[in-house]
């Protein structure tokens, strides 16, 4: 199946993008009626439109293309395809007129159209022939505008070439006219015989004719200059619009999406597409700058009175140079950000990339990139165009220099830092309740290089996302609060690194939801978000609508929760960490409700069958999860709801949640009525028969038991000897604690053994008698 056949089967936005790349420069009718010829002659050939050595082949290709168009047009029935015939013939004529002196330009346009088609078809095929949108309509529009600018640039290049030829022709004729004037002057000093008189008349007629021709050429040259200048002005206006769209919208959006990805949001990394746009822009900018300079050179070579028309070429030159400078400095970007929570004396990585480096041949003299860490105040001064004092920094980074390397396969010019390390940090004075985890720094990447053989010199720099520096692991939760708040609520064009002190709850909820999902694999439910709102606003479930309420930074991570020693963020972060490290599977499966209040859990279980249980995150214990269940203890015949003392990561490091649930035989159904085997069996640790290891010992196994419930009532305290102190009373280990929770104990059993048989063979009371 041909590429064009596949392209016609695309749907929706993808099909619109195919249509968008075609236009006046290369009509869609030409692609359709010469589909197989174009693919055979151009698509699968190794012809490079950027190689001047291929110009002869491109010229023959142009002749063949126009011939094929004419043949195809003549073969169409006039009564059915009259308009199409006219369009094809017109396209053939336009190709010869527009690209006859620059056939590589047409080849470049056709190659671009075909590569766009191929890319869209391949993306659709990779998606299982689900022909959805491969790129946005905005992206297709940018591509189309770039094609228009390139076509205009090719056109003005041809205008400039013709103007130069006309000016050279004028110079030759002017020289001839000068010679005639000199000859006439010479004759005036000669004897006035008939021969000289006739020659003088002849020369004067030639002079008059030549002066008329020169006058016409001057008029023509002036019109050409005005026309070229106007065309260049229009092209620059298009460049301003498209470059603004790419840099101020698409690239800024990419940077914002990259920052949100720091909170776990999905990141559609389209930097390669943006680089392609920027490379096209760089080439168009450079070519137009060369054309403006060429026009200035011709003007200076032959000064003409433009009859009061202002000369705007110097203004255009300054404008295009500024556009090129803005493009280069804006496309020096951090492709891979350094860690936003950075611990001193810990290795970290980062990558910077110059999107237009390959196109401007910057890699011919590879520039060096230097990295330093600066404070918020220093970043603010830098953005105000206040240069940093040489050597001024807020810390010392090891391995902080690198060379930008060009990778031909990806056409990327980048510097990767793989072994940087922050040795020390210099902090600012703290105010009020500020802590070191509130202080934000940034990594400054800087470089300088020249383009055009030293014609233009650039000093480029870019700042990383805000970084919080810590020296100890216990500072990590608060540091992540600072980073999370900044990533979520930073506004475009802000003063570094200003963030709002209060944010509407729906935006906070969205940030927490994205963060939790990225760490644990499942989004929070509306009920869970409602629970978090109650906790963050300390409302005890007495507010019905939080949508217009503002949560402050202090409520988020500064002020302790009521009757607790920790903040809302510390509680949330600990729950997220516990879930990510120990509960991810059951959480993703929906086996853990998690965000449920104790009273709500009791109400939910009160109407369920005995043995029904659920899992909720503890309100009182940081990073704790508790089991709530309904049942009867051996001391009571009435059903009631019990809460097990929360398990933490330390407990799960010994025995997993699923194994502990398996141990507790009185837990039968996961709320509301799911058999616990169905919910948790795939997470049980496989049981293997105990075999003596190399030292001859059998490894024991821990089993969770609760006194007073099935499987836990008959277990006595650990036997003691006269050399060991008495264990605490069993009730203090597996009974109800002061918080109203039942405590679980880990009992060590022999792997593969039967505990009942052990009880039959050993009388524990005999061991305990001396100590009663």
């Amino acid at each position: 199946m041909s590429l064009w056949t596949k392209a016609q089967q695309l749907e929706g936005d993808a099909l619109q993008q195919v249509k968008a790349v075609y236009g006046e420069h290369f009509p869609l009718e030409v692609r359709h009626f010469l589909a197989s010829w174009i693919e055979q002659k151009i698509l699968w050939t190794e012809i490079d439109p950027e190689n001047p050595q291929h110009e002869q082949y491109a010229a023959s290709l142009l002749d063949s293309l126009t011939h094929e168009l004419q043949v195809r047009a003549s073969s169409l029935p006039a009564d059915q395809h009259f308009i199409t015939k006219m369009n094809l013939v017109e396209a053939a004529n336009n190709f010869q007129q527009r690209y006859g002196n620059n056939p590589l330009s047409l080849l470049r346009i056709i190659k671009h159209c075909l590569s766009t088609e191929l890319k869209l078809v391949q993306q659709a095929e990779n998606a299982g022939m689900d022909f959805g949108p491969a790129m946005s309509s905005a992206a297709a529009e940018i591509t189309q505008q770039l094609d228009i600018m390139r076509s205009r640039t090719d056109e003005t290049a041809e205008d400039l070439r013709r103007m130069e030829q006309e000016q050279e022709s004028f110079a030759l004729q002017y020289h001839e006219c000068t010679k005639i004037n000199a000859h006439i002057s010479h004759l005036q000093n000669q004897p006035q015989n008939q021969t000289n008189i006739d020659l003088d008349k002849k020369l004067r007629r030639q002079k008059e004719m030549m002066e008329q021709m020169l006058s016409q050429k001057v008029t023509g040259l002036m019109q050409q200059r005005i026309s070229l200048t106007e065309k260049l002005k229009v092209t620059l206006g298009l460049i301003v619009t498209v470059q603004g769209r790419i840099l101020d919208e698409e690239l800024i959006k990419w940077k914002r999406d990259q920052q949100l990805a720091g909170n776990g949001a999905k990141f559609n990394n389209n930097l390669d597409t943006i680089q392609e746009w920027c490379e096209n822009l760089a080439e168009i900018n450079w070519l137009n700058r060369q054309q403006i300079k060429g026009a200035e050179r011709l003007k200076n070579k032959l000064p003409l009175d433009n009859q009061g028309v202002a000369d705007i070429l110097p203004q255009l030159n300054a404008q295009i140079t500024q556009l090129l400078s803005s493009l280069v400095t804006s496309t020096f970007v951090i492709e891979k950000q350094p860690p936003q929570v950075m611990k001193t004396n810990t290795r970290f990585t980062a990558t910077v990339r110059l999107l237009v480096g390959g196109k401007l041949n910057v890699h011919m003299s590879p520039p060096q990139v230097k990295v330093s860490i600066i404070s918020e105040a220093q970043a603010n001064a830098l953005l105000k165009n206040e240069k940093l004092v040489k050597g001024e920094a807020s810390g010392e980074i090891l391995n902080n220099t690198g060379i930008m390397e060009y990778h031909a396969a990806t056409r990327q010019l980048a510097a990767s830092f793989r072994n940087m390390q922050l040795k020390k940090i210099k902090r600012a004075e703290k105010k009020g309740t500020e802590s070191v985890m509130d202080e934000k720094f940034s990594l400054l990447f800087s470089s300088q290089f020249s383009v055009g053989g030293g014609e233009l010199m650039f000093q480029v720099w870019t700042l990383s996302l805000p970084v919080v520096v810590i020296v100890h692991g216990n500072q990590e939760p608060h540091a992540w609060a600072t980073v999370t708040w900044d990533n979520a609520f930073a506004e475009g064009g802000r003063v570094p690194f200003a963030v709002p002190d209060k944010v509407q709850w729906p935006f906070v909820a969205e940030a927490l939801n994205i963060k939790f999902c990225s760490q644990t694999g499942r989004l929070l439910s509306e009920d869970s978000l409602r629970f978090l709102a109650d906790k963050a606003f300390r409302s005890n479930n007495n507010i019905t609508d939080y949508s217009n309420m503002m949560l402050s930074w202090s409520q988020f991570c500064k002020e302790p929760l009521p009757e607790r020693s920790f903040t809302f963020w510390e509680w949330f972060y600990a729950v997220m960490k516990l879930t990510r490290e120990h509960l991810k599977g059951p959480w993703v499966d929906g086996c853990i409700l998690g965000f449920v209040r104790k009273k709500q859990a009791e109400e939910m279980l009160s109407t369920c069958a005995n043995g029904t249980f659920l899992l909720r995150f503890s309100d009182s214990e940081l990073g704790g999860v508790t089991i709530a269940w309904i049942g009867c203890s051996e001391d009571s015949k009435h059903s009631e709801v019990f809460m097990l003392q929360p398990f933490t990561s330390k407990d799960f490091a010994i025995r997993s949640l699923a194994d502990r649930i398996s141990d507790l035989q009185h837990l039968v159904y996961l709320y509301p009525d799911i058999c616990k085997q169905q919910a948790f069996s795939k997470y049980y640790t496989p049981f293997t028969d105990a075999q003596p290891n190399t030292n001859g010992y059998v490894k024991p196994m821990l089993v969770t038991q609760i006194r007073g419930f099935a499987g836990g009532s008959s277990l006595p305290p650990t036997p003691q000897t006269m050399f060991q102190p008495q264990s605490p009373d069993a009730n203090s280990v597996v009974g109800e604690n002061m918080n109203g929770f039942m405590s679980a104990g880990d009992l060590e059993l022999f792997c593969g053994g039967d505990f009942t048989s052990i009880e039959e063979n050993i009388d524990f009371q005999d061991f305990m008698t001396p100590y009663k």
Side-chain angles (χ1 to χ4, degrees):
M1 186 183 294
S2 70
L3 174 62
W4 181 240
T5 302
K6 292 180 180 180
Q8 291 176 83
Q9 294 177 8
L10 293 167
E11 297 176 355
D13 198 32
L15 183 59
Q16 292 302 317
Q17 292 163 48
V18 171
K19 293 178 181 178
V21 297
Y22 293 97
E24 183 183 357
H25 50 284
F26 189 61
L28 193 62
E29 294 99 316
V30 176
R31 175 68 178 103
H32 179 71
F33 284 97
L34 296 185
S36 58
W37 185 91
I38 288 171
E39 292 180 28
Q40 179 185 357
K41 297 289 185 180
I42 300 175
L43 178 61
W44 308 118
T45 58
E46 298 291 330
I47 304 303
D48 182 8
E50 307 299 332
N51 189 346
Q53 295 180 359
H54 293 165
E55 186 165 2
Q56 187 176 353
Y57 179 88
S60 65
L61 202 66
L62 173 59
D63 292 336
S64 299
L65 175 62
T66 54
H67 175 70
E68 288 291 327
L69 278 173
Q70 290 164 350
V71 171
R72 185 62 174 153
S74 63
S75 67
L76 293 173
D79 56 337
Q80 297 177 15
H81 300 281
F82 178 74
I83 300 297
T84 303
K85 283 170 68 76
M86 290 182 60
N87 288 343
L88 292 180
V89 171
E90 185 181 3
N93 294 333
N94 285 341
F95 287 162
Q96 284 292 355
Q97 292 175 6
R98 192 176 287 179
Y99 307 111
N101 294 311
N102 189 9
L104 285 173
S105 177
L106 177 61
L107 184 62
R108 185 187 301 113
I109 290 170
I110 299 174
K111 280 274 192 181
H112 172 73
C113 294
L114 295 176
S115 66
T116 302
E117 275 183 39
L118 188 61
K119 187 187 299 182
L120 290 167
V121 168
Q122 287 175 342
Q123 288 174 342
E125 287 177 341
N126 292 338
M129 297 304 290
D130 180 19
F131 295 104
M135 59 179 176
S136 67
S137 57
E141 189 176 336
I142 288 173
T143 302
Q144 184 180 21
Q145 289 173 329
L146 286 168
D147 287 341
I148 292 170
M149 288 191 299
R150 183 175 289 281
S151 179
R152 290 186 61 86
T153 302
D154 292 338
E155 186 178 328
T156 48
E158 182 60 25
D159 290 348
L160 182 64
R161 189 188 65 81
R162 281 199 302 266
M163 191 169 77
E164 186 169 17
Q165 288 178 343
E166 286 293 315
Q167 188 163 313
E168 289 173 353
S169 174
F170 173 85
L172 290 172
Q173 290 183 356
Y174 183 81
H175 180 65
E176 285 297 318
C177 190
T178 304
K179 287 169 63 177
I180 291 173
N181 280 332
H183 202 169
I184 291 172
S185 298
H186 177 71
L187 284 175
Q188 288 176 350
N189 297 324
Q190 299 299 315
Q192 294 298 308
N193 54 41
Q194 190 62 40
T195 302
N196 287 343
I197 291 171
D198 292 342
L199 181 58
D200 181 72
K201 288 180 179 180
K202 180 182 177 182
L203 289 173
R204 288 184 184 277
R205 284 196 301 269
Q206 288 180 353
K207 174 186 175 183
E208 186 179 347
M209 291 175 57
M210 195 160 284
E211 284 178 345
Q212 287 178 354
M213 290 175 60
L214 287 173
S215 178
Q216 290 174 357
K217 279 192 174 292
V218 166
T219 303
L221 279 170
M222 286 175 19
Q223 289 175 345
Q224 282 182 309
R225 287 183 181 182
I226 293 170
S227 174
L228 177 63
T229 303
E230 284 302 315
K231 285 182 178 180
L232 289 169
K233 182 180 177 182
V234 172
T235 302
L236 258 64
L238 290 173
I239 293 174
V240 169
T241 302
V242 177
Q243 183 163 309
R245 189 168 182 179
I246 293 171
L247 300 183
D248 300 336
E249 294 180 23
E250 298 297 329
L251 188 57
I252 293 297
K253 182 180 182 300
W254 178 85
K255 290 180 178 179
R256 179 61 182 146
D257 289 347
Q258 185 190 48
Q259 185 173 22
L260 291 173
N263 277 3
K266 290 184 179 179
F267 184 26
N268 177 25
N269 189 352
N270 64 333
L271 191 60
D272 289 344
T273 300
I274 295 174
Q275 172 170 316
E276 186 176 341
W277 294 338
C278 291
E279 285 179 334
N280 282 322
L281 266 179
E283 187 174 11
I284 291 168
N285 271 328
W286 186 259
L287 290 173
N288 277 274
R289 185 172 183 273
Q290 295 303 103
Q291 290 175 21
I292 292 169
K293 291 176 67 178
E296 286 187 309
R297 176 178 53 81
L298 291 178
K299 182 199 71 174
N300 294 331
K301 199 172 181 180
L302 180 62
L304 297 172
D305 183 6
N306 279 350
Q307 300 176 347
V309 178
D311 181 15
I312 62 171
L313 285 174
Q315 179 185 337
L316 296 181
N317 192 3
Q319 186 181 5
I320 195 70
T321 302
Q322 179 57 43
L323 283 168
L324 188 62
S325 176
S326 174
L327 179 64
V328 172
T329 54
S330 298
T331 54
F332 184 62
V333 299
I334 302 174
E335 182 178 10
K336 180 185 178 183
Q337 290 282 342
Q340 288 189 265
V341 173
M342 187 177 294
K343 192 175 179 183
T344 53
N345 299 308
T346 303
R347 188 178 71 89
F348 66 93
T349 63
T351 301
V352 289
R353 182 165 151 191
L354 182 63
L355 302 183
V356 297
K359 214 61 173 173
L360 295 178
N361 291 325
V362 176
H363 59 284
M364 301 304 289
S365 299
Q368 184 185 70
V369 182
K370 183 179 179 182
V371 188
S372 55
I373 188 166
I374 61 175
S375 67
E376 187 171 327
Q378 289 169 328
N380 195 0
L382 191 63
L383 289 178
K384 290 180 179 177
N385 294 322
E386 299 175 9
K387 291 186 178 180
L388 294 177
V389 178
K390 189 175 182 180
E392 184 180 2
S394 292
E396 179 186 343
I397 299 177
L398 295 181
N399 304 317
N400 67 331
T401 58
I403 301 295
M404 299 199 84
E405 298 177 351
Y406 183 69
H407 305 277
T410 58
R411 304 195 328 273
Q412 294 177 7
L413 183 68
S416 294
F417 299 85
R418 298 181 179 87
N419 291 290
M420 286 195 288
Q421 191 175 110
L422 181 62
K423 290 301 293 180
K424 59 183 179 181
I425 191 70
K426 182 169 64 177
R427 300 187 183 275
E429 291 185 12
K430 303 294 172 289
K431 301 175 184 177
T433 60
E434 286 182 346
S435 70
V436 295
M437 289 83 77
D438 295 321
E439 187 175 8
K440 290 179 267 192
F441 297 88
S442 182
L443 265 61
L444 171 66
F445 295 80
S446 58
S447 182
Q448 63 178 25
F449 50 84
S450 63
V451 300
E455 184 181 344
L456 293 176
M457 198 70 187
F458 294 102
Q459 289 187 334
V460 297
W461 57 267
T462 187
L463 290 173
S464 75
L465 293 173
V467 168
V468 178
V469 177
I470 63 174
V471 297
H472 195 278
N474 60 14
Q475 296 174 318
E476 193 172 287
H478 191 115
W480 274 114
T482 301
V483 167
T484 302
W485 189 275
D486 191 283
N487 285 345
F489 311 124
E491 297 176 353
R494 64 173 175 173
V495 174
F497 293 104
V499 285
D501 184 61
K502 293 183 178 180
V503 177
Q504 273 191 314
W505 171 251
F507 298 108
V508 179
E510 181 185 13
L512 294 175
N513 203 354
I514 290 171
K515 187 78 175 177
F516 202 88
C517 180
S518 70
Q519 297 291 306
T520 65
R522 193 185 107 202
L523 286 168
L524 300 173
S525 66
E526 288 298 323
D527 289 339
S528 297
L529 292 172
R530 168 71 195 216
F531 173 93
L532 291 175
D534 289 339
K535 185 172 285 288
F537 287 104
R538 289 80 165 159
S539 67
N540 294 320
N541 204 23
N542 56 15
I543 297 177
T544 57
D545 184 13
Y546 290 99
S547 58
N548 293 317
M549 292 185 64
M550 305 289 284
L551 186 75
S552 70
W553 169 245
S554 289
Q555 289 172 311
F556 186 72
C557 78
K558 288 286 189 179
E559 301 169 3
L561 293 170
E563 301 178 6
R564 300 286 183 255
S565 60
F566 46 80
T567 66
F568 167 78
W569 170 261
E570 287 172 328
W571 179 88
F572 179 83
Y573 183 86
V575 162
M576 184 170 63
K577 189 171 185 289
L578 176 77
T579 306
R580 181 188 71 221
E581 295 176 356
H582 299 287
L583 311 175
K584 195 167 186 177
W587 168 258
V588 170
D589 291 346
C591 297
I592 300 174
L593 287 178
F595 300 96
V596 181
R597 289 188 178 277
K598 184 176 181 181
K599 184 178 180 181
Q600 183 184 0
E602 291 172 347
E603 292 172 353
M604 291 167 68
L605 291 169
S606 61
T607 58
C608 295
N610 281 353
T612 304
F613 67 98
L614 60 80
L615 296 116
R616 54 175 290 270
F617 297 125
S618 170
D619 286 312
S620 58
E621 184 89 21
L622 270 183
V625 63
T626 185
I627 301 175
W629 78 95
I630 186 168
C632 301
S633 67
E634 293 182 356
D635 299 330
S636 172
K637 295 183 179 180
H638 299 290
S639 297
E640 57 181 307
V641 175
F642 298 92
M643 300 281 174
L644 193 60
Q645 183 171 316
F647 294 116
T648 65
S649 58
K650 291 181 180 178
D651 299 304
F652 294 137
I654 298 170
R655 191 155 174 79
S656 73
L657 172 68
D659 288 341
R660 289 179 183 275
I661 290 173
S662 175
D663 293 340
L664 301 174
Q665 297 175 20
H666 62 281
L667 304 181
V668 183
Y669 305 107
L670 177 66
Y671 181 87
D673 55 4
I674 303 170
C675 174
K676 78 173 181 181
Q677 294 294 115
Q678 179 185 340
F680 293 98
S681 61
K682 65 180 178 180
Y683 300 110
Y684 294 164
T685 302
F687 181 80
T688 55
D689 291 337
Q691 298 293 333
N693 59 19
T694 54
N695 59 14
Y697 290 104
V698 175
K699 187 178 179 180
M701 179 178 71
L702 294 175
V703 177
T704 304
Q705 297 286 342
I706 302 176
R707 176 176 291 278
F709 287 86
S713 60
S714 62
L715 300 178
T718 304
Q720 303 291 315
T721 71
M722 66 175 58
F723 303 107
Q724 290 179 303
Q726 172 69 43
S727 294
D729 181 75
N731 287 329
S732 68
V733 179
V734 294
E736 186 173 310
N737 63 21
M738 295 178 64
N739 295 323
F741 289 107
M742 299 295 292
S743 299
D746 288 326
L747 187 74
E748 210 171 75
L749 298 180
F750 292 104
C751 285
D754 184 342
F755 192 82
T756 306
S757 64
I758 295 175
E759 276 196 290
E760 290 174 354
N761 296 331
I762 301 174
D763 186 351
F764 284 102
Q765 298 303 317
D766 291 342
F767 285 94
M768 299 303 295
T769 301
Y771 305 103
K772 286 182 180 178

